């Protein structure tokens, strides 16, 4: 198990310890339908969008795909509906900063990026729940 | 502010203290398109489905609406794509039980119901982040 138990450390846990390193991604020119398939196959709500060099250029979520239902969605591509200004976090940041970013931006996941904007993981609000459980357990 | 500061209480915070009491809901016979509109207008990913008496009978999320993109979705109604077995929580439960349910079921929100299954709030994984922030703040 990659999560160290809380009592071993007095310092704030880092993003790296609770992020999911297995991220499904997509590229800009793919169809929204392909995004929908990937979201459902990966059982996730968030798909970071990357360019050819693997760098983060956007994010597309089930929320955005739902929005496309209200448009004539069949020919839409990812770049037309993705969010371009992505809120991210780095793996060495404290989890409380992640929690703050999620809440302040009203979003439920943060792509974890390295210094060259490669996506190395994703941090989900549900993952923060793990820390809550440790906090109040006997 | 409805959240009491952590230090005032030694016991585990309750669902009631961090849930969102303003829940947008939908009924079974409405169209998936209407659900999509409500989801986007409410800036939420979760729409509890209620019957005429206001009792919880299902849940529909942006994840389900995204799935309908892959079908011939225009005439679909909420009852055809909603999840019927809803994982819920009661307002007096401890937040750590809520965190556990979210994680174990790989979901990001729980409708909060009273003893007659009326929906009185919704608890989002992002709301749990509030507790994380309090935990590690100086
Ligand atoms: C404002 S949220 C509202 C829905 C809900 N609160 C949620 O957690 O997804 C939905 C929008 O946020 C965007 N979004 C999700 N994660 C993001 C992130 N890390 N950075 C920027 N935008 C993001 C999505 O592309 C979508 O358009």
């Amino acid at each position: 198990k990659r999560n160290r138990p809380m009592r071993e450390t007095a310092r704030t846990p880092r993003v790296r310890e609770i992020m999911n390193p297995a991220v499904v991604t997509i590229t800009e020119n793919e169809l929204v339908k392909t995004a929908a398939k990937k979201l459902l196959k990966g059982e996730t709500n968030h798909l970071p969008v990357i360019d050819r060099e693997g760098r983060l250029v956007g994010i597309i979520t089930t929320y955005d795909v739902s929005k496309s239902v209200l448009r004539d969605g069949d020919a839409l591509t990812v770049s037309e509906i993705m969010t371009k200004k992505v809120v991210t976090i780095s793996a060495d940041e404290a989890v409380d900063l992640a929690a703050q970013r999620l809440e302040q931006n009203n979003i439920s996941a943060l792509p974890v990026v390295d210094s060259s904007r490669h996506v190395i993981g994703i941090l989900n609000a549900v993952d923060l729940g793990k820390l809550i459980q440790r906090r109040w357990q006997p």
Side-chain angles (χ1 to χ4, degrees), chain A residues 30-86:
Chain A
E30 294 186 71
L31 289 174
V32 171
K33 278 209 170 181
T34 310
K37 271 182 210 149
K38 282 199 170 188
L39 285 163
L40 299 168
K41 208 175 151 211
E43 297 216 335
T44 173
N45 287 305
H46 303 83
L47 222 46
V49 185
I50 54 172
D51 65 14
R52 285 197 205 165
E53 281 78 41
R55 296 209 174 91
L56 186 70
V57 292
I59 190 163
I60 180 168
T61 68
T62 49
Y63 186 88
D64 303 310
V65 175
S66 298
K67 209 187 282 185
S68 80
V69 170
L70 304 175
R71 297 166 60 177
D72 191 18
D74 261 15
L76 285 176
T77 61
V78 167
S79 66
E80 292 174 277
I81 70 162
M82 72 183 190
T83 299
K84 282 175 183 139
K85 240 185 126 204
V86 189

Side-chain angles (χ1 to χ4, degrees), chain A residues 96-116:
Chain A
D96 55 334
L97 181 67
Q100 198 184 323
R101 278 197 192 155
L102 289 171
E103 201 198 335
Q104 284 175 352
N105 295 285
N106 185 29
I107 52 180
S108 50
L110 297 170
V112 184
V113 291
D114 65 16
S115 55
S116 54

